[in-house]
Amino acid sequence: MRPYLVRPAAAADIARAYAWYERERDGLGEEFLTEVRAAMQAVVEAPTAYAALHRQTRRALVRRFPYGLFFRLMDDVVVFVACFHTRRRPESWKRRR
């Protein structure tokens, strides 16, 4: 398994989404985190299985939830840069480093 890093901005994205889902229904935020972790695991196991969307940034969709995990493969490290709602303006994640 490759090493990975979650940038602070990506962690904040995940925390905001978690909080929103928990406000909607008790336990739904935990379900969201479970799916995010599963998506991260899949990425870490096979990062090149995901197509590059912009330059070196790739996206993995989060099962059951309308979110995408945006990441880059830097050397041999998977770097998660954002976790955005799929309906959000696509230019937003392009500014992340």
Side-chain angles (χ1 to χ4, degrees), residues 77-89:
V77 178
V78 175
V79 180
F80 293 97
V81 296
C83 180
F84 281 173
H85 194 285
T86 56
R87 300 297 286 259
R88 194 167 173 184
R89 293 181 49 180

Side-chain angles (χ1 to χ4, degrees), residues 62-75:
V62 177
R63 190 173 155 269
R64 291 188 51 218
F65 294 90
Y67 277 80
L69 283 171
F70 294 84
F71 66 95
R72 293 187 184 110
L73 189 56
M74 298 178 145
D75 295 323

